[in-house]
mmCIF file of all heavy atoms in Angstrom:
data_model
loop_
_atom_site.group_PDB
_atom_site.id
_atom_site.type_symbol
_atom_site.label_atom_id
_atom_site.label_comp_id
_atom_site.label_asym_id
_atom_site.label_seq_id
_atom_site.Cartn_x
_atom_site.Cartn_y
_atom_site.Cartn_z
ATOM 1 N N VAL G 234 0.896 -52.700 38.890
ATOM 2 C CA VAL G 234 1.044 -53.149 40.282
ATOM 3 C C VAL G 234 0.409 -54.543 40.312
ATOM 4 O O VAL G 234 -0.658 -54.795 39.921
ATOM 5 C CB VAL G 234 0.347 -52.312 41.211
ATOM 6 C CG1 VAL G 234 0.163 -53.011 42.544
ATOM 7 C CG2 VAL G 234 1.359 -50.948 41.582
ATOM 8 N N VAL G 235 1.267 -55.374 40.717
ATOM 9 C CA VAL G 235 0.742 -57.009 41.059
ATOM 10 C C VAL G 235 0.658 -57.019 42.586
ATOM 11 O O VAL G 235 1.633 -56.879 43.169
ATOM 12 C CB VAL G 235 1.693 -57.857 40.524
ATOM 13 C CG1 VAL G 235 1.334 -59.265 40.707
ATOM 14 C CG2 VAL G 235 1.854 -57.658 38.952
ATOM 15 N N ILE G 236 -0.610 -57.319 43.075
ATOM 16 C CA ILE G 236 -0.806 -57.436 44.483
ATOM 17 C C ILE G 236 -0.749 -59.101 44.791
ATOM 18 O O ILE G 236 -1.656 -59.761 44.246
ATOM 19 C CB ILE G 236 -2.105 -56.910 44.838
ATOM 20 C CG1 ILE G 236 -2.169 -55.408 44.460
ATOM 21 C CG2 ILE G 236 -2.284 -57.060 46.408
ATOM 22 C CD1 ILE G 236 -3.499 -54.770 44.652
ATOM 23 N N GLY G 237 0.330 -59.423 45.430
ATOM 24 C CA GLY G 237 0.470 -60.861 45.646
ATOM 25 C C GLY G 237 1.732 -61.338 44.968
ATOM 26 O O GLY G 237 2.082 -60.887 43.832
ATOM 27 N N ARG G 238 2.550 -62.257 45.549
ATOM 28 C CA ARG G 238 3.708 -62.766 45.043
ATOM 29 C C ARG G 238 3.933 -64.232 44.911
ATOM 30 O O ARG G 238 4.980 -64.786 45.096
ATOM 31 C CB ARG G 238 4.918 -62.039 45.782
ATOM 32 C CG ARG G 238 4.952 -62.186 47.240
ATOM 33 C CD ARG G 238 6.228 -61.701 47.848
ATOM 34 N NE ARG G 238 6.185 -61.797 49.334
ATOM 35 C CZ ARG G 238 7.188 -61.443 50.069
ATOM 36 N NH1 ARG G 238 8.304 -60.969 49.559
ATOM 37 N NH2 ARG G 238 7.161 -61.514 51.479
ATOM 38 N N SER G 239 2.778 -64.949 44.904
ATOM 39 C CA SER G 239 2.895 -66.455 44.832
ATOM 40 C C SER G 239 3.534 -66.817 43.652
ATOM 41 O O SER G 239 3.495 -66.261 42.548
ATOM 42 C CB SER G 239 1.434 -66.928 44.876
ATOM 43 O OG SER G 239 0.680 -66.685 43.668
ATOM 44 N N GLY G 243 1.279 -64.402 41.194
ATOM 45 C CA GLY G 243 1.971 -63.011 41.392
ATOM 46 C C GLY G 243 3.175 -62.975 40.778
ATOM 47 O O GLY G 243 3.568 -62.054 40.015
ATOM 48 N N THR G 258 5.651 -53.025 39.967
ATOM 49 C CA THR G 258 5.809 -53.040 41.345
ATOM 50 C C THR G 258 4.975 -54.175 42.005
ATOM 51 O O THR G 258 3.767 -54.316 41.639
ATOM 52 C CB THR G 258 5.272 -51.740 42.054
ATOM 53 O OG1 THR G 258 5.991 -50.582 41.569
ATOM 54 C CG2 THR G 258 5.401 -51.750 43.535
ATOM 55 N N VAL G 259 5.678 -54.897 42.782
ATOM 56 C CA VAL G 259 4.899 -56.097 43.472
ATOM 57 C C VAL G 259 4.570 -55.681 44.971
ATOM 58 O O VAL G 259 5.527 -55.321 45.669
ATOM 59 C CB VAL G 259 5.729 -57.293 43.401
ATOM 60 C CG1 VAL G 259 5.046 -58.526 44.176
ATOM 61 C CG2 VAL G 259 5.994 -57.842 41.977
ATOM 62 N N ILE G 260 3.370 -55.735 45.240
ATOM 63 C CA ILE G 260 2.883 -55.618 46.587
ATOM 64 C C ILE G 260 2.545 -56.830 47.360
ATOM 65 O O ILE G 260 1.978 -57.764 46.798
ATOM 66 C CB ILE G 260 1.589 -54.599 46.639
ATOM 67 C CG1 ILE G 260 1.925 -53.260 46.157
ATOM 68 C CG2 ILE G 260 1.035 -54.549 47.989
ATOM 69 C CD1 ILE G 260 0.712 -52.255 45.945
ATOM 70 N N HIS G 261 3.142 -57.018 48.698
ATOM 71 C CA HIS G 261 2.825 -58.226 49.310
ATOM 72 C C HIS G 261 2.442 -57.813 50.693
ATOM 73 O O HIS G 261 2.303 -56.633 51.061
ATOM 74 C CB HIS G 261 4.032 -59.162 49.292
ATOM 75 C CG HIS G 261 5.350 -58.407 49.738
ATOM 76 N ND1 HIS G 261 5.610 -58.226 50.935
ATOM 77 C CD2 HIS G 261 6.304 -57.860 48.979
ATOM 78 C CE1 HIS G 261 6.877 -57.680 51.145
ATOM 79 N NE2 HIS G 261 7.259 -57.481 49.804
ATOM 80 N N ALA G 262 2.308 -58.924 51.590
ATOM 81 C CA ALA G 262 1.715 -58.674 52.877
ATOM 82 C C ALA G 262 2.550 -57.747 53.792
ATOM 83 O O ALA G 262 2.034 -57.159 54.715
ATOM 84 C CB ALA G 262 1.451 -59.956 53.625
ATOM 85 N N LEU G 263 3.816 -57.660 53.517
ATOM 86 C CA LEU G 263 4.757 -56.930 54.314
ATOM 87 C C LEU G 263 5.168 -55.496 53.673
ATOM 88 O O LEU G 263 5.938 -54.790 54.248
ATOM 89 C CB LEU G 263 6.055 -57.678 54.521
ATOM 90 C CG LEU G 263 5.929 -59.012 55.241
ATOM 91 C CD1 LEU G 263 7.303 -59.724 55.299
ATOM 92 C CD2 LEU G 263 5.136 -58.903 56.595
ATOM 93 N N THR G 264 4.482 -55.176 52.556
ATOM 94 C CA THR G 264 4.699 -53.940 51.877
ATOM 95 C C THR G 264 4.192 -52.745 52.739
ATOM 96 O O THR G 264 3.006 -52.795 53.199
ATOM 97 C CB THR G 264 4.020 -53.948 50.467
ATOM 98 O OG1 THR G 264 4.556 -55.012 49.719
ATOM 99 C CG2 THR G 264 4.280 -52.619 49.690
ATOM 100 N N LYS G 265 4.980 -51.695 52.854
ATOM 101 C CA LYS G 265 4.515 -50.535 53.488
ATOM 102 C C LYS G 265 3.680 -49.567 52.557
ATOM 103 O O LYS G 265 4.071 -49.480 51.485
ATOM 104 C CB LYS G 265 5.618 -49.737 54.159
ATOM 105 C CG LYS G 265 6.307 -50.476 55.195
ATOM 106 C CD LYS G 265 7.534 -49.669 55.914
ATOM 107 C CE LYS G 265 8.285 -50.373 56.991
ATOM 108 N NZ LYS G 265 9.344 -49.592 57.516
ATOM 109 N N ASN G 266 2.674 -49.045 52.990
ATOM 110 C CA ASN G 266 1.785 -48.187 52.138
ATOM 111 C C ASN G 266 1.234 -48.800 50.801
ATOM 112 O O ASN G 266 1.393 -48.236 49.774
ATOM 113 C CB ASN G 266 2.526 -46.880 51.904
ATOM 114 C CG ASN G 266 2.965 -46.124 53.014
ATOM 115 O OD1 ASN G 266 2.240 -45.974 54.010
ATOM 116 N ND2 ASN G 266 4.197 -45.548 53.025
ATOM 117 N N PRO G 267 0.789 -50.039 50.932
ATOM 118 C CA PRO G 267 0.256 -50.649 49.701
ATOM 119 C C PRO G 267 -0.737 -49.906 48.966
ATOM 120 O O PRO G 267 -0.796 -49.850 47.744
ATOM 121 C CB PRO G 267 -0.239 -52.007 50.144
ATOM 122 C CG PRO G 267 -0.642 -51.729 51.588
ATOM 123 C CD PRO G 267 0.413 -50.789 52.142
ATOM 124 N N GLU G 268 -1.661 -49.192 49.714
ATOM 125 C CA GLU G 268 -2.737 -48.375 49.002
ATOM 126 C C GLU G 268 -2.142 -47.192 48.228
ATOM 127 O O GLU G 268 -2.596 -47.029 47.081
ATOM 128 C CB GLU G 268 -3.697 -47.816 50.108
ATOM 129 C CG GLU G 268 -4.826 -47.073 49.618
ATOM 130 C CD GLU G 268 -5.661 -46.640 50.747
ATOM 131 O OE1 GLU G 268 -5.734 -47.328 51.769
ATOM 132 O OE2 GLU G 268 -6.290 -45.594 50.577
ATOM 133 N N LEU G 270 0.979 -47.143 46.812
ATOM 134 C CA LEU G 270 1.609 -47.702 45.625
ATOM 135 C C LEU G 270 0.635 -48.100 44.602
ATOM 136 O O LEU G 270 0.855 -47.920 43.387
ATOM 137 C CB LEU G 270 2.555 -48.974 46.074
ATOM 138 C CG LEU G 270 3.651 -48.605 47.001
ATOM 139 C CD1 LEU G 270 4.287 -49.881 47.426
ATOM 140 C CD2 LEU G 270 4.629 -47.755 46.255
ATOM 141 N N ALA G 280 -4.018 -60.608 43.089
ATOM 142 C CA ALA G 280 -3.839 -62.018 43.149
ATOM 143 C C ALA G 280 -3.509 -62.544 44.562
ATOM 144 O O ALA G 280 -2.465 -63.051 44.720
ATOM 145 C CB ALA G 280 -2.963 -62.564 42.095
ATOM 146 N N VAL G 281 -4.437 -62.252 45.404
ATOM 147 C CA VAL G 281 -4.007 -62.607 46.855
ATOM 148 C C VAL G 281 -5.049 -63.682 47.317
ATOM 149 O O VAL G 281 -4.647 -64.577 48.061
ATOM 150 C CB VAL G 281 -4.213 -61.326 47.799
ATOM 151 C CG1 VAL G 281 -4.049 -61.713 49.127
ATOM 152 C CG2 VAL G 281 -3.233 -60.334 47.361
ATOM 153 N N GLY G 282 -6.355 -63.605 46.934
ATOM 154 C CA GLY G 282 -7.386 -64.573 47.491
ATOM 155 C C GLY G 282 -7.849 -64.012 48.888
ATOM 156 O O GLY G 282 -8.368 -64.792 49.671
ATOM 157 N N MET G 283 -8.029 -62.645 48.951
ATOM 158 C CA MET G 283 -8.609 -62.124 50.186
ATOM 159 C C MET G 283 -9.728 -61.165 49.695
ATOM 160 O O MET G 283 -9.559 -60.211 49.059
ATOM 161 C CB MET G 283 -7.632 -61.229 50.961
ATOM 162 C CG MET G 283 -8.104 -60.600 52.246
ATOM 163 S SD MET G 283 -6.789 -59.943 53.269
ATOM 164 C CE MET G 283 -6.153 -61.410 53.817
ATOM 165 N N LEU G 286 -10.160 -56.939 49.273
ATOM 166 C CA LEU G 286 -9.052 -56.202 49.733
ATOM 167 C C LEU G 286 -8.791 -54.956 49.097
ATOM 168 O O LEU G 286 -8.494 -53.970 49.816
ATOM 169 C CB LEU G 286 -7.793 -57.130 49.512
ATOM 170 C CG LEU G 286 -6.414 -56.525 49.862
ATOM 171 C CD1 LEU G 286 -6.254 -56.341 51.369
ATOM 172 C CD2 LEU G 286 -5.312 -57.360 49.184
ATOM 173 N N TRP G 291 -7.742 -47.520 46.620
ATOM 174 C CA TRP G 291 -6.467 -48.063 46.092
ATOM 175 C C TRP G 291 -6.279 -47.831 44.622
ATOM 176 O O TRP G 291 -5.260 -48.133 44.032
ATOM 177 C CB TRP G 291 -6.511 -49.753 46.266
ATOM 178 C CG TRP G 291 -6.404 -50.192 47.657
ATOM 179 C CD1 TRP G 291 -7.069 -49.816 48.755
ATOM 180 C CD2 TRP G 291 -5.421 -51.211 48.180
ATOM 181 N NE1 TRP G 291 -6.765 -50.494 49.859
ATOM 182 C CE2 TRP G 291 -5.673 -51.247 49.493
ATOM 183 C CE3 TRP G 291 -4.463 -51.939 47.488
ATOM 184 C CZ2 TRP G 291 -4.958 -52.252 50.207
ATOM 185 C CZ3 TRP G 291 -3.726 -52.915 48.349
ATOM 186 C CH2 TRP G 291 -3.979 -52.975 49.636
ATOM 187 N N ASP G 320 -10.696 -60.288 44.946
ATOM 188 C CA ASP G 320 -9.853 -59.481 45.713
ATOM 189 C C ASP G 320 -10.251 -58.036 45.705
ATOM 190 O O ASP G 320 -9.998 -57.264 46.620
ATOM 191 C CB ASP G 320 -8.385 -59.599 45.262
ATOM 192 C CG ASP G 320 -7.708 -60.987 45.570
ATOM 193 O OD1 ASP G 320 -8.293 -61.694 46.344
ATOM 194 O OD2 ASP G 320 -6.686 -61.139 45.028
#
Side-chain angles (χ1 to χ4, degrees):
V234 159
V235 178
I236 305 173
R238 54 175 174 176
S239 71
T258 299
V259 176
I260 293 175
H261 51 81
L263 302 179
T264 300
K265 294 181 179 179
N266 300 318
E268 182 178 332
L270 292 172
V281 177
M283 181 169 291
L286 171 69
W291 288 53
D320 288 347

